[in-house]
Every structure is written in structure tokens, then in C-alpha cells.
Amino acid sequence: MNGVPYPLLSPGLAALPADMLRRMILGREISVPELVADALAAIGRLDGRLNAFIATCPERAMAEARTAQARLMAGAAAPPLCGLPLAVKDAEPVAGLPYTCGSLVYRDRMADADSVHVARLRAAGAIVVGKTNTPEFTLLGETRNRLGPDTCNPWNTALTAGGSSGGSAAALAAGMVPLATGSDTAGSITVPAAFCGILGLKPGHRRIPLWPGPGDWAPYSDVGPMARTATGLAMMFAAAAGPDPRDPLSLFPVVSRPETGSLRISWGRTVAGLPVETDCAAAAEGAAALFAAAGHRVDQAAPAVADPGAVHDLLGAVEEYRARGALLERDAALLAAETRAILELGRGIGPGALAAARAAADEVAARFRAFMATRDLLILPATASPAFPLRHPPERIAGQPVRPDWPSYAPFNMLGNLSGLPVATLPVRLTDGGLPVGALLFANPGQEALLLSALAQAETLRGPLAPPLLTSAR
């Protein structure tokens, strides 16, 4: 199983890589109903400890599985994601399933249409088995809300899975599904992927259309694939990418770069002097070493940009208030305290402060894009710390005091959102405590194909990691 992030202790079918499962289905080694039933059984066994899912749809999923199998048996061509179980983050709609966005405000809402992203994955043959947990309106770096228990990390259930796509990351890491979706405005795909030891891609801005949606964080919001292998990411991205007239920001072509052999790759332990734990910095260095060993041109260099955290926090609050400020008057009692605080922050920001923040963000983005223009990839630590105890983000990182907030433990992820460039998480190594740490790989506009190819090469060179233990801290 070359390229598998780690061998599970007791692997079921749904824990196998997506491309392997597709070959097994086409080779009649397994049936689609058998695979979907296995995924649903894995959710039933494990999710009571992980809280990765907010809802499942077993009857519907099995009906779709039987239909898919009947078509195959009748000789129909197999679609790219034929019969693969898919988990969808509860920040985008799936027709007929809950669409809560992690909020009590929408606890009874059911979606009446699929998002473009989901519709394309389903058209490619994926079968939705359920919706995964997310913090309220995707606003936290942990996956917790007032609807139910926190999502836990499969490597240690006393730890966070990260956020805001933590439900999807946990479901993948535990082997409940081979494919899942995420959304990302500041690292919501890449952070939980790092904490849970799986792969996630935040594509270039709107390479996958975002519709329908409330329009919040429009300059920075994207949806993208999460999977156990780089091949799984590539399969999902190929099925979902391309413009759609309902999302005006998506109206540009996807560009591919021809393979030219040796890549120009830079790597850094940090940016803007921000603190990073040794294990996390070592993950970036380890990823760079993999590419150097493969013959690529690798040097140590990082962009000279200011810390983007505070600026992105402020701009996000403005976007959030623009989209959902009315909830402060209408449903304040139903909102989490953190959501109310973000909305209040957005309401209180004046035009002068907003203009200054936008100028600062534009400067960071311009400098970052200029740095990237002279190289193919940039490697940075995926997070500044490994996964931390539930509801206890670090107050110190690498010995330095920090705010216990997402810009401290995920300081570089948002560079992909501010710049609009594609970025992915690659699991690289384990800490001495047995937790996964990873690297961010940034690429230039339209270079998702190159990025996915590089991920696959590094994954092969890295070899397998140890399995998640599904243990609780003692």
C-alpha cells in the first residue's frame, strides 16, 4: 500500500486509499454496497468516541450504492469516484440533509440543494454517507459548538482535531471514509489535516466554485478536498474544479504546468519570526529533505512578510458582521460566546481601521506572491504546535507567550487565503509523543496539478506513518 499515510491497526475497506478502492470495485473484488456498508459500520463503531459526524444517511447511501452497483453490472462506464463513500463538512449543503453550519440558529435547517462542489463529486460517483462537524459558522480553530460534543483527534481522543474542518479530518484519520470535503478561509482545511495526519488541499482561490453560500469572507473562502492520500485529493479536485456562472469569482480557467523534472523549492522554519515548536519546524525541514533527495533544487528561504494573523482576524470579523451581523439582534442568545465576540468586533471597526487592515493584507499578499513567482513550491510548518488538549490552545509556543488563538498555532496557513494561492498539508513525521506533524506546500496560481504531483512524490518517499491509536490521555 505505497503512499498510505499509515497502516491502521484493524483496517476496514473504508480506510483504504480511494484509488485502490476504485480498482477493487472495477475488478469486482468488492461491491459498492459492501464498501458503503463498511463505511457506515465504521462510523457506528468509532464516532461515539470522536464526534466527527453530526448526521448520517444510511438508507439513502445504501440505496445509491445499490443503484451504482446495478449500473456497473449492466456494463455502464464507471465514473471517476465510482461508489466511494464521501463525508461532507456541515458548512456546505447536501440536499435533504442537515445544514446547521454548527449553529443552534440553524439546528433544524435541512438543505434543499447540493452545493456546486458536492453536486460535482456526486456526479462523479461519490456517495455521501453523512455530514461532518464544524464550529459555529466555521469560526474557530477547534471543532466545537453548542449542538453537541467536541470532535476529538483519532490519535488521542483527549486532543483537538483542529478546525474548522475537524470533523472531516477526524473521519478520514479514523478510517471511516476515504474522502471528505472541507472549507477554508484561514487554514480550516490545512490545520485539521496536520493535527490528524491526513492530507488536505486549499485550492487556488475559487478553482472550485463556492455556491450557494452566505457570501461571508468572500475574498478568502474556498472549498476543497481532504483525503488519506495525494491520489485521493487529485481524484476529488479533478472532479470538482472549473468555473460555474453562479459563482462569479470562479470564472477563470484552470491552468496546468507541464512537468519539467527538477523543481525550484524553498523552505523555512518560520515567517516573520513567529514562534514554532521544534517538532513542527522539523516537519518542514523533513519535507524539504525528501524533495532534495529526489533531485529537486532546494534552498532555505522564506518570504519577508509581516505577521498576517491580526490583520486577517480583523478582516474576517468585518466579513462575518457583514454576512451575519443581524444575528446579534435576532438570535444573540443562541450564538456561542466566541461568535458574538467576533460579530461585535466586526461591528466596531471603523472605516480608517478597515482601510489600514486591507492595505496591510494587500502588502502581505503582494510580497508573498512576488516571492513565490521565482520558485515552484514553498514549504513551511503546517502548524506551530502539534494537536493540543481539547479547549486548551497553547499559551506558550517554543517558550514564547502567545495568545491562545488560531493565529498563534496556525500562523502561516492564512497566507494561502490572503494570496489566493493553492496550499496543501502533507503529514511528514511523528513527535516523540506519537502525534503527527506536517508541512504546508504552497504553489503558484493554477499549479494545483504540480502541487498534487509533488505531494504524491513526497508521500511515496516518506513511507507510512504509525497508526492512530484511538486512546484517551491517562
Side-chain angles (χ1 to χ4, degrees), residues 55-57 60 94-99 109-112 128-131:
T56 58
C57 49
R60 169 173 144 174
V94 177
L97 294 185
Y99 182 32
R109 181 171 67 174
M110 304 293 284
D112 56 11
V128 175
V129 295
K131 301 293 294 295

Side-chain angles (χ1 to χ4, degrees), residues 108-122:
D108 298 321
R109 181 171 67 174
M110 304 293 284
D112 56 11
D114 291 345
S115 70
V116 171
H117 186 202
V118 170
R120 289 180 176 179
L121 295 173
R122 293 182 71 189

Side-chain angles (χ1 to χ4, degrees), residues 166-227:
S168 287
L172 287 163
M176 292 190 270
V177 289
L179 302 174
T181 72
S183 65
D184 195 309
T185 59
S188 284
I189 288 174
T190 54
V191 172
F195 282 172
C196 292
I198 56 100
L199 288 87
L201 169 67
K202 196 289 296 181
H205 192 45
R206 299 301 173 84
R207 296 294 186 187
I208 299 174
L210 181 53
W211 184 91
D216 56 316
W217 295 58
Y220 316 115
S221 296
D222 284 294
V223 289
M226 303 176 74

Side-chain angles (χ1 to χ4, degrees), residues 321-367:
Y321 181 71
R322 179 182 58 80
R324 280 183 277 265
L327 294 180
L328 283 175
E329 308 302 328
R330 193 181 74 217
D331 292 303
L334 298 178
L335 299 175
E338 296 90 344
T339 301
R340 292 197 303 272
I342 290 168
L343 291 172
E344 292 287 3
L345 174 63
R347 175 161 62 181
I349 293 170
L354 178 58
R358 285 177 173 161
D362 288 346
E363 176 71 11
V364 169
R367 285 178 174 268

Side-chain angles (χ1 to χ4, degrees), residues 228-310:
R228 297 173 60 79
T229 65
T231 302
L233 290 185
M235 292 167 67
M236 293 180 73
F237 181 73
D244 185 283
R246 290 167 292 184
D247 180 1
L249 295 177
S250 73
L251 295 181
F252 48 83
V254 174
V255 180
S256 62
R257 175 189 186 277
E259 293 295 334
T260 58
S262 179
L263 300 177
R264 300 160 298 171
I265 302 173
S266 292
W267 73 278
R269 290 176 171 272
T270 187
V271 170
L274 296 170
V276 176
E277 294 290 351
T278 301
D279 282 324
C280 298
E285 184 172 7
L290 293 174
F291 287 110
H296 298 291
R297 291 169 286 167
V298 178
D299 71 304
Q300 186 173 359
V305 299
D307 176 4

